[in-house]
Amino acid sequence: MGRFRAPGRGFWGGLAAVPVTVLGLLLVTFVIGRVIPVDPALGLVGDRASADALAAARTGLGLDLPLWRQFLAYLGAVARGDLGMSVLTGRPVLEDVARVFPATLELATLATVLGVGLGVPAGVVAAARRGTWIDHGLRVVGLLGYSVPVFWLGLMGLLLFYARLDWVPGPGRLDVLYEGLVEPRTGLLVVDALLAGEGEVARNALAHLILPASILGLFSVASIARMTRALMLDQLRQEYITTARLKGLSEARVLWGHALGNAAVPLLTVIVLSYASLLEGSVLTEIVFSWPGLGFYITNSLLNADMNAVLGGTLVVGAVFIGLNLLSDGLYRVLDPRTRPP
Amino acid sequence: MTVSPASWRAWLLSEAPASRLQARLGRATRLGLALGHHPLAVAGVGVLAVLLVVVAIGPWLAPQDPAAQNLDARLLPPGTPGFFLGTDELGRDILSRLLCGARPTLGIVALVAVSVAPLGLVVGSVAGTVGGWIDAVLMRVTDIFLAFPRLILALALVGALGPGLENAVLAIALTSWPPYARLARAETLAVRRSDFIAAARLYGASTPRLVVRHVMPLCLGSVIVRLTLDMAGIILTAAGLGFLGLGAQPPSPEWGAMVSSGRKVLLDHWWVATMPGVAICVVALAFNLLGDGLRDVLDPKDTPTR
């Protein structure tokens, strides 16, 4: 996965680069906010306001200052956790984001669980049976996973499993009947319902979750299976595998114990990165399933020209992305003894 | 002079090419022959060839006008005489729209490809050749863009610039170039200390000349392979923006936007959303199959040792 940093690069180097990256992220969101064709002051006072009122509003928003001072003011505001007010909901953007984020987290987590649960065994089997029809079949299925537009697959899933077969409930996080029964604590509906002892609500929430999570997880099944296969093939070439086989260990033990064990560390970093890309990739899935998560929030704000909310959401996703990248580097550092100084 | 296929083949595969052209054609031929042993890659090439024909002459192949609305013929199912794949909610022929939609859909992809690859190539090869603080700054910028979530940044950009085909291209391009810069820099570092670079420098070649004439051509191959592998992802992102209503605007028959319009009538009229989705999927799969085959052929690490 070329977009991700190669694992094993100095962790401290990566850590030192984080402030620069975050600053770059802020600069980009700031610039995007500046080049909007809509004048924020005009949006505030309306287009029939007098020139004086407009000028006053511009001064009030700090739009008459030089750009670098505006950027510093923006940095200060972000540091205080002030991402501006959402025009659409009338609440602070940070509050909104905190409210919708658990829904995305829930979706991406289950999708990653599915991705690991199916992708790792598929990759191991493909590596062990390399060149056979199983390997080729898994490869085609994997490429298919890379090729299907997720929004379309979501629609097809709804059509088949909801409308035709009636196996799963429709879009949204809960049936209307169950809404508001559970006090939000973690924001993760299934967990909240279980904490409150509402088994039926939990079951309903899980039923709503299963289809979007599977659709979203398909991509990560494909990418995790492919990486597992490549990492396993690297391991199976090593001499210790020959040794293990010569010692008379069973093939299952060699594969799942020795080879997979040694492939586990790089695999873990791949999984963390795939989790990060799912948090982002859920945008289209959330739209299709009317899933009130971060992607839905950002897109909805975008369609309503609520730029504060869009940029705030972008900033949060970017920050989570950077954090998970760092975590993946750190994990590699901690778990792989070869990266430790002698 | 008689030119038989056999002598052509011998000329192309000659171990001692007499000219640069012959060497290049020879390399391409070997690559093509190796790809020929990959049934999946051949299938991908086949689909892409058909697709190119559709892009070229699609509007003439279309049985109906793709924009002609016919409210009497709304939502006809596939197989209706005259409407092979059915009609959409405005009575437009879906087959004709698919055939004409290949242009805007692939147009986005082509524009992204021709803007992303040169940008990455320039940034990467300059950073690698010049080194020093320029390298550090350029790579830092690349890392910053690499750390961004691609679709979300594209969303924010399109939101700021307004929806439309050009802005969608710009947004996707701005978020896709960093891997190419990385790749080109790695290739550059590999050749930077070569004798031929030192020789060119001794001849008095300036740094821009070194980059353009001597370094960039060497990076081009791997950048092109990478581009093939990325094509499917670019198609899916572009279709996703179209689906959100941020790409090509109606009545353009862009495939992602067609899925989006089919969404409203999904439960009773499945074909409106299904057909364009299948088209996106087939094209993306074809690019993936070709890219996968190319990688197998070019990366000796992953070939069976037999």
Side-chain angles (χ1 to χ4, degrees), chain B residues 15-293:
Chain B
E15 287 296 327
S19 68
R20 187 179 284 186
L21 178 74
Q22 188 182 0
R24 279 195 187 146
L25 288 177
R27 243 194 94 183
T29 313
R30 285 198 189 89
L31 188 65
L33 288 177
L35 264 187
H37 294 295
H38 261 269
L40 292 177
V42 172
V45 171
V47 172
L48 293 179
V50 173
L51 187 72
L52 278 182
V53 172
V54 170
V55 168
I57 61 170
W60 290 283
L61 288 178
Q64 317 260 345
D65 179 350
Q69 302 184 4
N70 180 357
L71 295 182
D72 290 338
R74 293 175 67 223
L75 298 167
L76 294 175
T80 312
F83 303 100
F84 182 64
L85 295 180
T87 60
D88 68 6
E89 72 284 4
L90 294 172
R92 297 173 295 195
D93 179 37
I94 293 180
L95 176 63
S96 305
R97 285 178 68 72
L98 281 184
L99 288 172
C100 297
R103 274 191 192 175
T105 307
L106 289 174
I108 299 180
V109 179
L111 280 176
V112 169
V114 298
S115 49
V116 159
L119 181 61
L121 202 57
V122 169
V123 171
S125 51
V126 167
T129 313
V130 179
W133 66 269
I134 294 186
D135 181 26
V137 169
L138 283 178
M139 282 302 109
R140 201 68 266 162
V141 173
T142 309
D143 274 358
I144 288 172
F145 274 90
L146 208 58
F148 275 155
R150 180 157 152 181
L151 185 61
I152 303 243
L153 188 63
L155 276 181
L157 264 172
V158 171
L161 300 170
L165 204 65
E166 299 82 9
N167 292 340
V169 169
L170 188 67
I172 300 176
L174 268 180
T175 48
S176 321
W177 64 269
Y180 296 90
R182 274 276 181 93
L183 188 65
R185 180 170 175 270
E187 296 272 314
T188 307
L189 289 182
V191 301
R192 184 162 96 163
R193 306 249 172 262
S194 310
D195 289 344
F196 74 92
I197 297 282
R201 220 186 264 282
L202 279 178
Y203 268 116
S206 63
T207 302
R209 190 182 164 86
L210 270 184
V211 170
V212 174
R213 294 295 303 261
H214 299 279
V215 173
M216 267 193 205
L218 288 172
C219 307
L220 202 57
S222 48
V223 165
I224 289 177
V225 172
R226 174 73 211 237
L227 203 55
T228 319
L229 281 168
D230 267 2
M231 280 296 191
I234 297 174
I235 291 177
L236 294 184
T237 311
L241 285 178
F243 176 74
L244 294 176
L246 300 170
Q249 295 300 299
S252 165
E254 194 268 327
W255 294 344
M258 284 174 73
V259 174
S260 169
S261 74
R263 184 187 175 195
K264 289 167 224 146
V265 293
L266 177 75
L267 296 189
D268 298 315
H269 312 278
W270 56 272
W271 56 90
V272 184
T274 306
M275 301 303 176
V278 171
I280 299 171
C281 197
V282 167
V283 173
L285 185 62
F287 272 113
N288 270 331
L289 289 174
L290 174 60
D292 207 49

Side-chain angles (χ1 to χ4, degrees), chain A residues 54-334:
Chain A
L54 187 62
R58 290 184 67 87
T59 318
L61 289 173
L63 293 175
D64 54 342
L65 296 173
L67 273 183
W68 65 271
R69 288 200 45 194
Q70 289 187 38
F71 183 57
L72 283 186
Y74 176 66
L75 286 187
V78 171
R80 286 194 306 275
D82 173 14
L83 298 179
M85 297 291 282
S86 160
V87 179
L88 198 62
T89 63
R91 277 187 296 243
V93 169
L94 195 65
E95 221 173 81
D96 275 352
V97 168
R99 189 168 41 83
V100 298
F101 193 66
T104 299
L105 200 64
E106 202 174 38
L107 198 58
T109 306
L110 187 58
T112 304
V113 169
L114 288 172
V116 173
L118 293 174
V120 171
V124 171
V125 169
R129 301 254 182 272
R130 154 181 223 186
T132 63
W133 64 270
I134 300 181
D135 185 18
H136 291 306
L138 285 172
R139 178 186 254 209
V140 172
V141 172
L143 286 177
L144 212 59
Y146 278 126
S147 311
V148 178
V150 64
F151 54 91
W152 177 75
L153 195 65
L155 289 178
M156 294 299 115
L158 274 180
L159 183 65
L160 183 63
F161 295 112
Y162 164 60
R164 294 279 188 275
L165 298 173
D166 201 17
W167 288 359
V168 296
R173 284 180 90 185
L174 270 183
D175 284 352
V176 182
L177 189 66
Y178 296 109
E179 260 170 35
L181 282 187
V182 177
E183 191 70 23
R185 272 186 251 183
T186 58
L188 307 169
L189 263 181
V190 180
V191 178
D192 282 348
L194 286 178
L195 285 180
E198 296 271 3
E200 205 161 324
V201 180
R203 205 172 309 123
N204 187 258
L206 197 61
H208 273 270
L209 190 58
I210 195 77
L211 185 59
S214 316
I215 302 271
L216 185 60
L218 187 68
F219 180 82
S220 93
V221 171
S223 77
I224 290 177
R226 160 170 258 166
M227 288 308 292
T228 309
R229 178 180 181 274
L231 291 169
M232 284 292 287
L233 285 179
D234 273 351
Q235 293 301 328
L236 290 176
R237 263 192 286 268
Q238 310 281 330
E239 283 174 353
Y240 75 89
I241 293 291
T242 318
T243 311
R245 283 186 180 140
L246 284 176
K247 276 195 334 196
L249 290 187
S250 70
E251 191 58 24
R253 184 89 190 273
V254 171
L255 272 184
W256 297 93
H258 286 61
L260 187 60
N262 278 298
V265 173
L267 197 57
L268 195 63
T269 66
V270 169
I271 291 168
V272 171
L273 292 175
S274 132
Y275 189 56
S277 70
L278 283 192
L279 285 178
E280 167 207 20
S282 65
V283 174
L284 291 163
T285 314
E286 286 179 12
I287 297 293
V288 169
F289 287 93
S290 306
W291 193 261
L294 193 56
F296 188 78
Y297 176 72
I298 292 179
T299 318
N300 202 26
S301 310
L302 184 64
L303 296 176
N304 290 291
D306 186 357
M307 269 328 260
N308 275 349
V310 174
L311 294 177
T314 307
L315 206 55
V316 170
V317 177
V320 171
F321 223 67
I322 294 171
L324 283 174
N325 260 295
L326 194 69
L327 175 70
S328 136
D329 272 8
L331 276 177
Y332 197 86
R333 187 89 178 163
V334 172

